[in-house]
Amino acid sequence: MARMLQVLPQQRGSRHGLSGSAVYRWLWLRDLILGGSFLFLLCALLVLAASRWAAPLTPVVAISLSPLALPLYAGYSLLRMLLAYGLALLFTLLYGHVAATNRQAERVLIPLLDLLQSIPILSFLPAVVLALVAAFPQSNIGLELASILLIFTSQAWNMTFSFYHSVLTLPRDLVDVCRLLRLRPWQRFLKLELAASIIGLVWNSMMSWAGGWFFLMASEQFSLGNRSFQLPGLGSYLQLAANRGDPRALTLGLLTLIGLIVFLDTCLWRPLVAWAERFKLEEQAETTPPHSLVLDLLRASPALHWLRQHLGTPLWEALAQLLTRLQPPEGRPTLTSGLERAHHERSRSWLQRGGTILILGWLGLLAIGICWQGGQLLLHVPPATWGRLVLAAGATWLRTLAALAIGTLWTIPVGVAIGLSPRWSRRLQPLVQIVASIPATALFPVLLVLLMALPGSLSLAAILLMLLGTQWYVLFNVIAGAMAIPRDLLEAAALFGVTGWRRWRTVILPAIFPYLVTGLITASGGAWNASIVSELVQFHGETLRTFGLGAEIAAAAGAGNYPVLLAGTLLMAALVVLLNRLVWRRLYHLAERRYRLA
Amino acid sequence: MAQRQTSETDGAVILEAQRITHLYQGRGEQGRRGHAPVVLEEVSLQIRAGELVALLGPSGSGKSTLLRILAGLIRPTQGEVRVHGQPLRGPTPSCALVFQSFALFPWLTVLQNVELGLEALGLPRLQRLKRALAIIDMIGLDGFEEAYPKELSGGMRQRVGFARALAVEPELLLLDEPFSALDVLTAANLRRELLQLWYQAKIPTRAMLLVTHNIDEAVSMADRLLILGADPGHLRAEVQGLPRGQREPHSPAYTHLVDLLYRLMTSPDEDGAALLAAEEPAFVQRGQPRPTRPYQTLPHVAPADMIGLLELVQARGGRADLAELGRELQLELDELLPLVDAADLLQLACPEEGDLVLTAVGRLLAEADVQEEKRLFRQQALARIALLRRIAEDLAAAPGHRVDEERYLERLREHFSEGEAEAQLQTIIDWGRYAEIFTYQEEAGVFALETDEETEEQPTEAAGDTWRRNIR
C-alpha cells in the first residue's frame, strides 16, 4: 500500500496535464486546510464541552430554539454519542474476550448479556442518574456521564454478542498458527481476534449508532420523581420544538439530525466498511466490493502518509516492543528441576483457584444483595398492579405482533422487487439506508399531528411508531435474501413455467425465509424496546399515553415509582427472553436446517 | 554449501515420542462417559537430524492428531514427547508446522504473514524485515511482498506458508499434507523446490516429518516411512526409504516400493510387519500387530462411486493393479482406500498382492443394470453390514414400521467420537437408501420402510406423525 500512496498523486497530475510536483504541493495544501479545520472544530467543541462539564450542576438547562444554537447542540449530542460509543467498544472488547476465552466466565456472562439486552433503556435510568449525580454533586459531569451511560445501554449489547461469536468461531488453523508461533496475548488479540471480528463489529456499530439516535431524546431529557433533567443537545431541542409545536424549529432540528447522520455515513461508516473488506475470512472476492470516495481520499493523502511514516510507525513499533516486554513468552526454559517445577505449577494453580473463588464469592454476594433489595422492592407491588402489568404486557405484545405483521407484509414484496433487480438495488439501497437511519423518534412529533386525527388515537399510533422503528431490519434482510437467490434457481423456475403465486411459494418465499427470520428477530426486540417511547409521548405540552407495558415502565420511571419500574422491567425482560427461546430461536433453527441455500 | 550426504543418517535424535495414547475429548465432554474413543494407541517414534520421515495412513489413523501432539498443540492423554530429551510442554520455537489449508491470515500481506513469527520472538523491526525478506526471496515470493493472500494462487499461498514456517528457523519442520490442496503440476513444482533447498542445506531445518496420503509423494521424498493403521491409530510398520539416487519414478526399486506400500495399505487387517518381513526383510524395521477391531467401521463412500470402481476393474478383466488405478484416476490414498475397503467389506472385491480382484458377485454386479445392481448391493449389504441388518429387522418389527435414529446413534457413540458416530450413521443412511432397505426422513430423524401396502393402510396417522415432528 505504501507504494500505491506514493504513485497516486503523480498519476493524477499527468492526467490533468500539470506537473507532478505542483499537484503534490496542492494536495499537501488541501490536506493541511482540511485537517486543520477538522482539528480546529474538534478542539473548539472539546473546549466548549469541557467548560460545560466543569460548570456547577444545572439539572435543567434552558434550551434555545434559535437556529444559531443548533450547531453547538448538534456538537454536544455528537460528542455524547462518540463517548458512549467508545465506552461500548471498550466494554465489547473486554467482555467479549473474557466470555469467549474463559469457559467458567462464559457460563455467567452470556446469559447475563442476554438479560441486559432485553432490559429497556429507561429502566437503567434511576440507577444511573441517581448514582452519578450523587457522585458529582458540584458539576455537570455526573449528569453528562449519566446521559452517556444511557446511550451506552442502547449501543453495547449487540456489538458484544457479535464480537463474542466471531472469537468463538475463529478458524481452528489460525488459532493453531498463533499458538505454534507463540504469539503474545496482545498480538493474538490484535492480529486474530480483533481482525477476524472487524466486519461484524463495523456493521453492528452502525446498528448501535442507529439505536443511539433512536433514544437520543430519551437520554437528553428525563424526569425522575419530582426532579427533571435536561441537557443541551439536539434531542432536547427536538423535544422542546415538539412540545412548543414550533414547526420551523422542528424542521430545522430534523434537517440538522439528518445532515449529521448522512455526514457520519459518508465520512465514517462507508470508509470503514470499504476498509474492513480486507478482513474477510472467505477467500473468494465479492463481485462488487464496497467502495468509498472518502477512503480513497484518505489513502491518497500525502499528509497522512507522512504522519504515518514519521510518527505512526515508530510510535507503534515502540509500543509493540513495550507490550512484548510486558508479556514474556510462556514456557521460557528455566533452570528449575522437574520437582520444583511441579511444585511451582501446583502453587500457581492454587493461587489461581483461590482468586477465582474469591471473585466468584464476591460476585455471588453482590448478586444476593441485589436480589434481596429487588425482592424488597417487589413486595411493595400490590397484586392488583401485577394484574394490570400483565394485561399491559399482553397489550404491548399484541402491538409488537401487529407492527411485525404490517412490516412483513409491505417489506416482502418491496424488498424482493428491489433485491431481484440489480438496477434497482444499486439505485435504491443507499437511499433506503439513509431513510432507515433517521431515528423514528425524531419523526414522532410530525407524525403525531397526523395520527391523532385518526380513530384509536395513540393506541394505534403506537403501532405505527414501533413499525417505523423496526421495519427497516426486515426490509434490509429481505433485500439481502432476494439478492442471494441463485440465478440458476430463478432461471429453472422460469423454464418450467413456474410463475405467479407458485413462483412465490416454491422459490422466493423459501429462499428468503432464513433472512426474513433474522430480520424479524431483531425487529421483535426493537419493537419491545420502542414501546417505552411510543406508548407514552410528550406532545404540545401534554403527556399522551395508552395502555401498555412500555407506558407503565416509562410512567413509573418518570414518577420515580421504583417498585413498579422494577416489576415492569422484569416482566418485559422475561417476556423478551422467553419469546426468543420459545419462538424465534426455533424458527431460526428451522430456517437454518431446511431453507438455507448453502 | 555443504551437501547433505546420504539418506542413511545416524544423527542425533531431535524429537522422540514415547508410547503416545490419546483419547478423543470433545468440547465439554469430559467425564460424560466412562470410555472416550481411542484415537491413538501406544505410538512411539523418533526423528533424527538429517532425515525426512513420511507418515502414511488411512483416514481415521490419527495422523493429524499425532502431528499436533508432536507440535505441542495437543497434550496426549498418556505418553510423552521429548525434544532434545526435554519433555514438551506446548509449542516450541524448534518446531514449525505447514498446514494443508495454508492457514494464512487473509488480512495480512505476504510480508506481514511471514513476519508474524518473528514479531512474536520480539525482534526489532529492521532485523525482522531483513530476515523475512531473505526468506521470501529464497522461497520464490520476491515481488509479492505487499500482496494479500487472496490475490495469490494456491501454489503461491503455500509458498507463503512455507516461508512463514521457515522464517523462525525451526530445527524440525512438520508438514501436514502441504501439497494435497494444490493441483498436480503445482504440487510437483513446489515439492521439487523444497527438496532442492533441503538437499543443498539452504534452510536451517535439520529434519522434516511429512504427513501424506500420496504414496508416490512419500516414496519420492522420504528417507524413512512410518505406516499408521486405523481404529485406533497405531504404528503398523516402519519402512526404509529408497536411497536418493533411486527415487526416479519407473525405476524398478521405486515401482517395487510403491507396490509394496499399496499392498500394505490395502490389507489393513494383516500384521504389517509380518507381511513386510515375508516380502522384503531388508526394508522392515518394526511395527505393531493391529489391535482387534472393536466395532464394524464403515468407510465413508457413496455406493455409486464404489460401483464405478468395480465396473472399471471389470473392464480390465476383473483384476487391476491398485497403484496404477490410483495414478490413473488421480485418487490419493484417502480417496482410493475407502472405496477398496467398502468393496472388500461387501465382498464384492478383495485386494490381493497390490491388485484389486473382483469376486463372483462383484463381477455380476459390475455387469448388471440399475435394478439388478441395487438388488445385489442390497443382498450383500444385508449379509455383511450388521447395523443395516439390525435396522431392517427393527423396522419389520416396529409398529408403523418407523424407528428413531437416536437408538442407533446412541450405540455408535459408545464406539466412536461424536462426530464420527454421526458420520457412521450418515453412511448407513446413504447405503440403506441406495439399497432401498429403508427411507429416512432427515428432519424427524426417523427410518421408515419403503412405502408398500402395509404403511398405506394408515396414511393419516403417519402423516400426522410427520407433521407433529416437523413442528416440534
Side-chain angles (χ1 to χ4, degrees):
Chain A
M1 198 165 74
R3 229 167 261 174
M4 190 188 85
L5 288 175
Q6 284 158 350
V7 169
L8 213 63
Q10 275 139 35
Q11 277 179 339
R12 290 212 171 159
S14 59
R15 199 181 307 148
H16 294 291
L18 290 164
S19 77
S21 65
V23 172
Y24 196 64
R25 232 173 290 142
W26 190 83
L27 282 176
W28 260 101
L29 193 68
R30 186 199 61 190
D31 280 359
L32 286 182
I33 291 172
L34 281 180
S37 45
F38 174 73
L39 283 180
F40 173 75
L41 279 178
L42 190 71
C43 288
L45 181 60
L46 283 179
V47 168
L48 283 171
S51 68
R52 157 154 170 81
W53 284 42
L57 179 64
T58 36
V60 179
V61 172
I63 299 284
S64 146
L65 285 187
S66 147
L68 291 178
L70 260 176
L72 185 61
Y73 287 158
Y76 280 149
S77 291
L78 182 62
L79 193 63
R80 268 179 220 125
M81 288 281 289
L82 278 172
L83 288 173
Y85 174 69
L87 208 60
L89 199 59
L90 204 67
F91 172 86
T92 289
L93 298 182
L94 272 173
Y95 200 99
H97 175 77
V98 172
T101 49
N102 184 326
R103 206 84 68 79
Q104 270 120 6
E106 182 184 12
R107 265 179 230 143
V108 182
L109 292 183
I110 291 309
L112 183 64
L113 195 61
D114 213 8
L115 188 74
L116 280 173
Q117 178 176 242
S118 55
I119 292 179
I121 171 176
L122 282 184
S123 302
F124 291 106
L125 187 71
V128 168
V129 173
L130 292 182
L132 284 169
V133 173
F136 299 93
Q138 305 305 329
S139 66
N140 280 327
I141 290 183
L143 199 53
E144 289 283 344
L145 279 180
S147 172
I148 288 170
L149 269 181
L150 282 181
I151 301 176
F152 165 87
T153 60
S154 64
Q155 287 184 334
W157 322 125
N158 61 321
M159 283 161 61
T160 311
F161 264 119
S162 155
F163 182 64
Y164 162 77
H165 276 291
S166 304
V167 175
L168 214 57
T169 53
L170 287 174
R172 191 188 135 197
D173 278 355
L174 291 187
V175 175
D176 278 354
V177 170
C178 284
R179 290 186 56 204
L180 275 169
L181 295 176
R182 307 205 307 162
L183 258 55
R184 312 291 162 86
W186 73 268
Q187 287 169 324
R188 186 193 128 105
F189 179 78
L190 216 63
K191 306 229 161 177
L192 184 62
E193 292 177 11
L194 193 59
S197 50
I198 281 226
I199 293 189
L201 269 183
V202 169
W203 286 105
N204 274 284
S205 297
M206 290 164 76
M207 274 178 68
S208 288
W209 273 73
W213 291 125
F214 193 84
F215 290 107
L216 185 69
M217 288 153 109
S219 54
E220 282 183 349
Q221 192 191 47
F222 38 83
S223 53
L224 205 57
N226 48 11
R227 303 171 69 178
S228 45
F229 302 91
Q230 183 167 297
L231 291 84
L234 203 49
S236 302
Y237 182 95
L238 283 167
Q239 187 72 60
L240 187 71
N243 276 353
R244 293 253 181 89
D246 183 340
R248 203 180 114 245
L250 203 56
T251 322
L252 276 176
L254 263 177
L255 283 179
T256 311
L257 183 59
I258 294 172
L260 203 56
I261 290 172
V262 172
F263 171 77
L264 281 173
D265 190 61
T266 40
C267 289
L268 186 65
W269 300 119
R270 232 155 242 280
L272 267 178
V273 167
W275 172 77
E277 190 63 10
R278 75 160 71 155
F279 294 98
K280 268 220 167 99
L281 267 173
E282 303 92 63
E283 311 235 316
Q284 85 269 17
E286 207 183 320
T287 42
T288 49
H291 187 255
S292 154
L293 266 178
V294 177
L295 184 67
D296 291 347
L297 277 180
L298 289 176
R299 279 187 171 155
S301 147
L304 277 179
H305 182 226
W306 187 88
L307 276 178
R308 197 176 134 164
Q309 214 170 24
H310 291 88
L311 208 65
T313 314
L315 273 180
W316 173 243
E317 192 58 28
L319 183 66
Q321 290 287 338
L322 181 73
L323 283 170
T324 307
R325 209 157 300 159
L326 283 178
Q327 296 182 331
E330 285 169 44
R332 178 178 276 178
T334 46
L335 292 171
T336 48
S337 71
L339 198 70
E340 250 177 281
R341 193 181 297 143
H343 181 73
H344 215 73
E345 271 178 17
R346 202 177 310 144
S347 66
R348 205 176 57 187
S349 81
W350 268 110
L351 208 70
Q352 268 178 356
R353 210 171 298 167
T356 315
I357 288 172
L358 211 71
I359 292 173
L360 281 183
W362 188 79
L363 282 177
L365 278 180
L366 196 73
I368 290 173
I370 290 174
C371 287
W372 174 252
Q373 290 288 334
Q376 292 285 320
L377 268 182
L378 285 184
L379 285 180
H380 291 291
V381 182
T385 310
W386 275 111
R388 198 183 71 227
L389 284 178
V390 170
L391 282 181
T396 301
W397 184 50
L398 287 180
R399 258 181 223 120
T400 62
L401 282 186
L404 288 186
I406 299 172
T408 314
L409 277 181
W410 86 259
T411 52
I412 287 187
V414 174
V416 167
I418 295 177
L420 284 187
S421 147
R423 208 163 41 132
W424 281 108
S425 54
R426 217 178 314 125
R427 271 190 213 160
L428 282 181
Q429 234 176 356
L431 190 72
V432 171
Q433 262 169 24
I434 297 282
V435 173
S437 60
I438 299 170
T441 38
L443 296 176
F444 282 9
V446 185
L447 287 168
L448 277 178
V449 180
L450 305 171
L451 290 173
M452 293 326 267
L454 296 174
S457 69
L458 193 64
S459 183
L460 286 180
I463 296 179
L464 273 176
L465 297 180
M466 282 182 190
L467 180 65
L468 266 180
T470 57
Q471 59 194 349
W472 307 109
Y473 300 122
V474 189
L475 181 64
F476 281 144
N477 277 287
V478 170
I479 293 179
M483 283 170 77
I485 302 179
R487 292 281 124 189
D488 299 1
L489 223 56
L490 293 171
E491 281 166 6
L495 269 177
F496 293 118
V498 180
T499 50
W501 169 235
R502 251 181 112 74
R503 181 160 175 263
W504 278 93
R505 216 186 47 201
T506 53
V507 185
I508 295 172
L509 287 181
I512 63 169
F513 186 65
Y515 294 86
L516 187 64
V517 171
T518 312
L520 283 176
I521 289 176
T522 325
S524 160
W528 279 97
N529 233 332
S531 70
I532 54 167
V533 282
S534 52
E535 289 179 345
L536 187 140
V537 186
Q538 309 265 328
F539 184 61
H540 271 283
E542 49 182 324
T543 305
L544 306 170
R545 64 176 289 180
T546 178
F547 184 62
L549 192 55
E552 295 286 343
I553 290 177
N561 187 351
Y562 303 131
V564 174
L565 176 61
L566 183 64
T569 305
L570 287 180
L571 201 60
M572 188 181 277
L575 265 173
V576 171
V577 172
L578 215 66
L579 280 174
N580 272 341
R581 292 273 148 95
L582 293 183
V583 182
W584 296 117
R585 202 169 285 186
R586 291 183 181 197
L587 262 179
Y588 187 74
H589 283 308
L590 175 71
E592 281 294 306
R593 273 182 66 165
R594 205 189 315 186
Y595 297 113
R596 180 62 75 189
L597 291 163
Chain B
M1 279 236 177
Q3 293 264 347
R4 264 178 233 274
Q5 282 308 320
T6 55
S7 55
E8 276 82 25
T9 46
D10 47 4
V13 174
I14 291 183
L15 178 137
E16 186 174 20
Q18 289 170 339
R19 305 172 65 109
I20 301 284
T21 295
H22 190 70
L23 306 184
Y24 173 81
Q25 216 109 65
R27 191 182 148 113
E29 230 176 332
Q30 286 101 326
R32 209 184 75 187
R33 277 186 302 274
H35 53 288
V38 182
V39 183
L40 288 167
E41 194 164 292
E42 298 271 326
V43 176
S44 301
L45 58 90
Q46 283 186 340
I47 294 169
R48 297 185 201 90
E51 64 177 353
L52 196 163
V53 180
L55 195 61
L56 272 166
S59 42
S61 59
K63 293 183 304 286
S64 275
T65 311
L66 180 58
L67 200 71
R68 280 174 169 73
I69 287 173
L70 298 181
L73 286 171
I74 303 176
R75 187 177 273 229
T77 316
Q78 273 168 40
E80 194 172 45
V81 179
R82 292 174 164 268
V83 177
H84 287 304
Q86 294 289 317
L88 186 71
R89 301 175 177 279
T92 89
S94 50
C95 295
L97 180 58
V98 177
F99 291 79
Q100 177 183 19
S101 64
F102 318 139
L104 302 178
F105 288 72
W107 42 83
L108 299 183
T109 61
V110 168
L111 181 65
Q112 287 167 333
N113 263 298
V114 175
E115 266 186 300
L116 203 59
L118 303 173
E119 264 178 77
L121 289 178
L123 292 183
R125 182 157 171 265
L126 280 179
Q127 214 176 323
R128 225 162 56 204
L129 209 61
K130 220 172 110 190
R131 253 168 88 172
L133 287 176
I135 206 94
I136 283 177
D137 189 22
M138 186 178 75
I139 215 91
L141 279 166
D142 222 0
F144 289 92
E145 293 91 347
E146 301 294 327
Y148 285 94
K150 62 170 158 254
E151 304 169 53
L152 304 180
S153 66
M156 291 311 256
R157 284 185 205 174
Q158 190 58 300
R159 277 172 203 261
V160 182
F162 272 105
R164 182 179 62 190
L166 290 171
V168 294
E169 306 193 340
E171 262 188 296
L172 174 63
L173 193 58
L174 303 169
L175 308 169
D176 188 7
E177 303 182 30
F179 310 110
S180 67
L182 308 177
D183 64 75
V184 184
L185 295 176
T186 311
N189 173 252
L190 198 54
R191 227 178 265 142
R192 209 191 57 236
E193 288 187 22
L194 176 69
L195 282 179
Q196 266 172 12
L197 292 175
W198 164 245
Y199 289 162
Q200 294 167 6
K202 283 193 177 156
I203 45 178
T205 306
R206 293 176 69 200
M208 293 201 244
L209 179 65
L210 169 74
V211 168
T212 178
H213 281 309
N214 186 323
I215 288 185
D216 280 294
E217 181 175 297
V219 171
S220 63
M221 292 179 79
D223 302 312
R224 196 153 58 94
L225 299 104
L226 301 173
I227 319 292
L228 287 184
D231 310 315
H234 63 285
L235 197 60
R236 279 182 75 201
E238 184 174 331
V239 181
Q240 204 59 50
L242 298 171
R244 277 188 193 156
Q246 297 179 21
R247 291 185 196 166
E248 292 300 312
H250 309 304
S251 81
Y254 183 96
T255 321
H256 182 74
L257 186 55
V258 168
D259 273 347
L260 186 74
L261 289 173
Y262 265 102
R263 194 178 310 174
L264 193 63
M265 306 289 288
T266 48
S267 52
D269 290 317
E270 279 177 59
D271 178 352
L275 188 145
L276 283 172
E279 186 68 33
E280 205 69 49
F283 281 143
V284 186
Q285 305 271 307
R286 67 199 158 93
Q288 280 173 354
R290 177 205 176 88
T292 45
R293 259 188 210 211
Y295 198 80
Q296 193 172 38
T297 311
L298 298 188
H300 306 301
V301 297
D305 287 353
M306 185 202 59
I307 291 169
L309 182 73
L310 296 180
E311 282 164 0
L312 202 72
V313 175
Q314 173 68 3
R316 307 183 166 199
R319 185 180 189 106
D321 184 54
L322 277 168
E324 260 172 50
L325 269 181
R327 234 170 274 151
E328 195 171 306
L329 299 173
Q330 288 198 2
L331 289 178
E332 294 199 354
L333 270 184
D334 60 332
E335 294 155 321
L336 185 60
L337 281 190
L339 295 173
V340 174
D341 211 11
D344 190 22
L345 192 63
L346 294 168
Q347 286 192 337
L348 294 167
C350 57
E352 254 179 47
E353 296 172 3
D355 288 353
L356 188 63
V357 183
L358 296 191
T359 61
V361 187
R363 280 165 179 277
L364 276 179
L365 194 143
E367 304 263 286
D369 64 10
V370 181
Q371 289 312 316
E372 181 67 4
E373 219 173 71
K374 287 205 168 198
R375 193 190 67 75
L376 285 169
F377 185 86
R378 176 163 61 232
Q379 166 197 318
Q380 293 303 101
L382 283 176
R384 301 286 303 161
I385 314 292
L387 190 54
L388 269 180
R389 199 165 51 234
R390 197 50 223 280
I391 295 175
E393 283 163 8
D394 286 352
L395 276 175
H401 303 293
R402 298 165 60 79
V403 190
D404 199 317
E405 68 176 350
E406 200 48 47
R407 194 195 289 196
Y408 307 105
L409 207 50
E410 202 55 49
R411 204 101 193 275
L412 287 165
R413 283 201 195 104
E414 289 174 16
H415 301 279
F416 301 100
S417 67
E418 183 71 39
E420 183 56 27
E422 270 161 28
Q424 285 288 324
L425 189 79
Q426 193 55 49
T427 305
I428 280 286
I429 291 166
D430 282 352
W431 290 21
R433 274 175 166 169
Y434 185 85
E436 296 176 22
I437 294 171
F438 50 70
T439 62
Y440 172 74
Q441 289 148 8
E442 197 254 331
E443 275 164 23
V446 180
F447 294 105
L449 269 193
E450 287 272 297
T451 359
D452 52 10
E453 298 83 356
E454 276 174 307
T455 40
E456 275 166 16
E457 275 174 19
Q458 330 135 323
T460 45
E461 194 201 322
D465 209 4
T466 318
W467 182 78
R468 262 199 301 282
R469 278 169 197 282
N470 280 347
I471 61 164
R472 185 182 56 179

